[in-house]
Amino acid sequence: MNDRVNFRLLGPLRAGVRGQQIDLGGDRARLVLAALLLEPDRPVPVERLVDGVWPDGPPGSARTQVAIVVSGLRRAFCRAGGDRQVIETVRPGYRVSGEAVTIDALDAERHIAAARRDAAAGRLTSAAGRFRAALALWDGPVLAGLGGPLVEAGAVRWGELRLAAIEEAVQVELALGRHREVVGQLLGPVGEHPYRERLRALLMLALARAGRQSEALDVYHEGRRRLDEELGLEPGRELRDLHAAILRDDPSTHPGAPAVTSVHPGMPGPQPCAVARDRALRWRRTAGPERPLRCC
């Protein structure tokens, strides 16, 4: 019997059967496969695949070349012992069945959904483990090494899911009193996404609860400086309120503070899209070329 093909797209695109890597060919084949894997169980029209491979304008033989690429991928799966029909021909193009293969992104999505259910039910230890299992599946930027508008647009969903999962996982870990452990986990994401205010707030809270209040304040001032100099913005209410709580030595910033589902009592729960970059973009759309981009 043929074994399932295992696809990995949370990092460089890879495929394998029984632990053996499959040669996926060149960038053209990888782009077509990536476009199909980003929309499992959904037919992807040939025209969209053509646009993804040749964003600057396709040759006249583009549809034929896509068909050749798909045929080559099927042969590669078959040679490796997988199912030749991993890629199905369906109108108006092709489809990868999520039930016929394993895809790390779908596995991560299932782990995160289960973690959220556990957290909502108060099973925090189980939720923390499931979040860790999900985040361990990422091995770098989604589809690292591949470019183009089709891949980049599809990768946004999975990148946003990872950031939301990091934030929610840290909130669970903080509720379990693991403030010292999460400091190291947050340094990288905050550095990669300096305008994402919830990540910065979580790092501040973890540092404060670890007895490192001065470092927590430094994290706030660094974020404020970058927002001002690079985006012309002030920190949002969440960061300002947490900064004030640390300054007044609020009990919520102490070790052993009651478990909460938000980063600061009275603040709303996870809002992964409510970040300073979004606010900056809204300012840019409403401000004229002569207006400075500053909050009132």
Side-chain angles (χ1 to χ4, degrees):
M1 290 180 61
N2 291 326
D3 288 353
R4 284 189 174 195
V5 179
N6 176 40
F7 291 106
R8 301 202 64 182
L9 55 97
L10 302 179
L13 178 60
R14 286 164 287 179
V17 176
R18 298 188 298 273
Q20 298 298 313
Q21 289 285 104
I22 298 174
D23 183 1
L24 298 175
D27 284 350
R28 190 172 300 172
R30 290 174 176 271
L31 284 169
V32 168
L33 180 59
L36 296 173
L37 292 173
L38 285 168
E39 299 190 60
D41 296 318
R42 295 182 182 178
V44 180
V46 173
E47 288 75 12
R48 194 184 307 169
L49 297 174
V50 168
D51 291 340
V53 176
W54 294 279
D56 298 325
S61 61
R63 292 178 65 91
T64 300
Q65 291 191 47
V66 168
I68 292 171
V69 162
V70 169
S71 179
L73 287 169
R74 286 171 171 165
R75 287 196 300 272
F77 300 147
C78 190
R79 285 196 299 268
D83 189 342
R84 180 182 177 86
Q85 296 304 315
V86 166
I87 302 176
E88 304 171 339
T89 301
V90 293
R91 291 184 179 181
Y94 302 97
R95 175 179 64 196
V96 169
S97 171
E99 294 184 356
V101 301
T102 60
I103 303 174
D104 60 353
L106 297 183
D107 290 342
E109 194 171 47
R110 285 190 285 268
H111 279 306
I112 291 169
R116 287 170 172 167
R117 290 193 296 270
D118 282 343
R123 298 186 293 269
L124 299 186
T125 301
S126 177
R130 290 183 183 274
F131 274 126
R132 284 194 293 269
L135 292 169
L137 292 173
W138 267 269
D139 188 27
V142 177
L143 296 169
L146 291 178
L150 186 62
V151 167
E152 290 167 3
V156 166
R157 172 193 174 193
W158 302 105
E160 180 59 36
L161 181 66
R162 172 179 175 265
L163 289 175
I166 290 173
E167 292 166 348
E168 294 172 50
V170 168
Q171 287 178 278
V172 169
E173 298 283 3
L174 286 172
L176 289 168
R178 298 170 181 168
H179 32 269
R180 291 182 176 83
E181 292 86 344
V182 302
V183 168
Q185 298 170 23
L186 283 168
L187 291 174
V190 170
E192 295 165 10
H193 304 275
Y195 310 123
R196 195 170 179 105
E197 294 187 352
R198 184 162 293 272
L199 280 175
R200 189 171 294 275
L202 287 165
L203 177 57
M204 289 169 59
L205 183 58
L207 285 166
R209 288 189 176 178
R212 299 159 64 178
Q213 285 81 1
S214 62
E215 292 174 68
L217 296 174
D218 286 343
V219 170
Y220 173 81
H221 290 300
E222 170 63 14
R224 182 175 184 176
R225 181 192 65 77
R226 294 196 64 164
L227 285 169
D228 179 52
E229 294 179 0
E230 299 172 19
L231 299 179
L233 291 171
E234 291 294 323
R237 179 184 172 188
E238 182 175 6
L239 280 177
R240 296 197 310 271
D241 285 357
L242 181 55
H243 174 247
I246 295 171
L247 285 176
R248 67 173 181 269
D249 198 28
D250 190 280
S252 66
T253 67
H254 295 175
V260 293
T261 55
S262 61
V263 297
H264 185 59
M267 298 304 295
Q271 297 177 356
C273 293
V275 293
R277 183 181 295 276
D278 295 332
R279 293 192 283 115
L281 291 175
R282 288 198 294 273
W283 271 96
R284 287 197 176 97
R285 285 196 291 269
T286 57
E290 302 298 325
R291 283 180 66 182
L293 299 180
R294 276 185 196 278
C295 290
C296 299

